[in-house]
Amino acid sequence: MKNYISFPRMQGVASRQAHAGLPEGTFERELGKEGFFGPATHMYHAHPPTGWTSFEGDLQPRAFDLTRLNEDQPSPFDAQTVLHNAQTKIRFWRAPAKMDHLARNADGDELFFVHEGAGDLYCDYGHLAFKAGDYIVLPRSTMWRIECSEPVTALLIEATNSSYMLPEKGMVGRHAIFDPAMLDIPELDEAFQAQKSNGAVTETKVRIKRGNRLATMTYPFNPLDAVGWKGDLSVVRINVKDIRPLMSHRYHLPPSAHTTFVANGFVVCTFVPRPFEMSEDALKVPFYHNNDDYDEVIFYHAGDFFSRDNIDAGMMTFHPCGFTHGPHPKALKAAFKPKKDATNEYAVMIDTRSALEVGGLPASVENTEYVKSWAGGGSYE
C-alpha cells in the first residue's frame, strides 16, 4: 500500500457508512484510487452523477455486440482484437471445428474463456475437456490446439510479457472464492495418447506469435508426445459455476472483491449469481464511481444483467478512465428494493491500469447509442 496523504474528514450532509444510509434525496459517488484499494471519498449529490444530456469525444462509454463477428478464424492468432494496450490484448475468437495446427503464444500467458460451445484441448501437458463458462490458463509458449464438439466462441485475454497469478485473498483466506484444489489440469489419458498419431497426418505445423509477428515450424511428427511430466507449471481450468462469491448482507462489495486472476497491469474479475444485500438501507446495485486509475471492460456471458439496460450475452462494454458511471436508470429504481432475491448473471470484468485502444472492429459491431442509455440519470422508486 502506497503512503498516500490520507486524512478522513466530513463536510455537509453525508453518510458515515459507504453505500448505506444515504441521506434522503441524495446520490452517492465514490472517488477512489488504486481500483477500490486506495484512499477514497464519497460525494453525496442532489442529482444522478450520470445525468448528462450529451457526451462527445473519444472517452465516452462504448458497447460492442461481439455476436456480430460471425466468421470462423482458423487460428487464435487470427481472432478479432477488440481492445489492447501494452499489457494485454483482448480478442474474440470463433473457432473452427478442429484446428489443423498447434498454437504457441510467446508474448505472454493466455486466458481462454469459453463463452459458447464445448470440446477438447490438447496441449503439452495432456488432454483437457472444456465447456461453456470455463476459464483455461495457458502458460506462455504452451503448444495447444482444440477440437470442438459444439461450435465454440471464446475470449482470449493475453497477459503480454506477464504471467497470470491468483489474487491475494487477505483475511478471508486462500480457500475463499475458489479453493486452488478446484483448478483442474490436463491428463495424459487415452484421448491424449490417441491424438499423438494425428490420424494419417505425418506432419504437424506450429504457429508461433512473438511481438505480434508470426512464424510457422513444421515437424515430421506430432510434438504433443509427452509420456510424463512433473512440476508446478501447467495449464489449469476452472468453471464460473465453481466460483463462490464473497458477499455481505449489509454492504455492497466493490468489484475488486470478485477478482479471479491478476497479471501485470490488469486484473480479471468474475461476477456470478449471489443474493442481494438484506439490509434495507444498503445499496443493492453497483454504486456510482469514477474510473480513477483504471479502464473497465465487462464481457456479458449469461443471465440477466441487472445493472445494465439493453445488454445481452455476448456483448462487451468499455468504460475508459475519466468519467463517472454506475447503474442505468431502470436499474437505479431497484437500488434499495429489488424485485428478486438474488442476481442471475455471469460476466467477466477486466480492469487495466494503462489506457486501452479499440481494435479495428467492423462498424456494425458497435452500439453507438450506448452512451445515451444513462440519459436523464434516473431516480429511486
Side-chain angles (χ1 to χ4, degrees), residues 85-128:
N85 63 21
Q87 288 77 46
T88 188
K89 179 181 288 185
I90 303 167
R91 311 193 303 282
F92 189 74
W93 186 33
R94 285 191 176 276
K98 179 180 180 179
M99 287 174 61
D100 62 2
H101 63 282
L102 298 173
R104 189 176 199 174
N105 190 346
D107 282 328
D109 285 8
E110 194 94 85
L111 181 61
F112 185 103
F113 177 74
V114 185
H115 174 51
E116 295 175 317
D120 297 280
L121 174 107
Y122 297 96
C123 65
D124 286 304
Y125 302 90
H127 162 246
L128 191 66

Side-chain angles (χ1 to χ4, degrees), residues 22 25-31 42-55 283 286-291 322-329 332 374-380:
L22 276 59
T26 67
F27 298 85
E28 182 187 69
R29 174 172 65 109
E30 178 168 307
L31 294 75
H42 297 92
M43 297 284 180
Y44 296 87
H45 298 278
H47 300 95
T50 57
W52 52 70
T53 55
S54 67
F55 195 139
L283 279 171
F287 45 87
Y288 290 110
H289 58 284
N290 289 16
N291 274 29
F323 79 96
T324 300
H325 68 282
H328 282 190
L332 190 62
W374 282 276
S379 62
Y380 304 127

Side-chain angles (χ1 to χ4, degrees), residues 155-178:
L155 277 187
L156 298 172
I157 309 169
E158 178 185 287
T160 308
N161 202 30
S162 178
S163 299
Y164 278 109
M165 299 165 284
L166 297 181
E168 293 291 337
K169 298 178 183 177
M171 64 183 180
V172 299
R174 64 190 299 265
H175 304 106
I177 307 176
F178 64 84

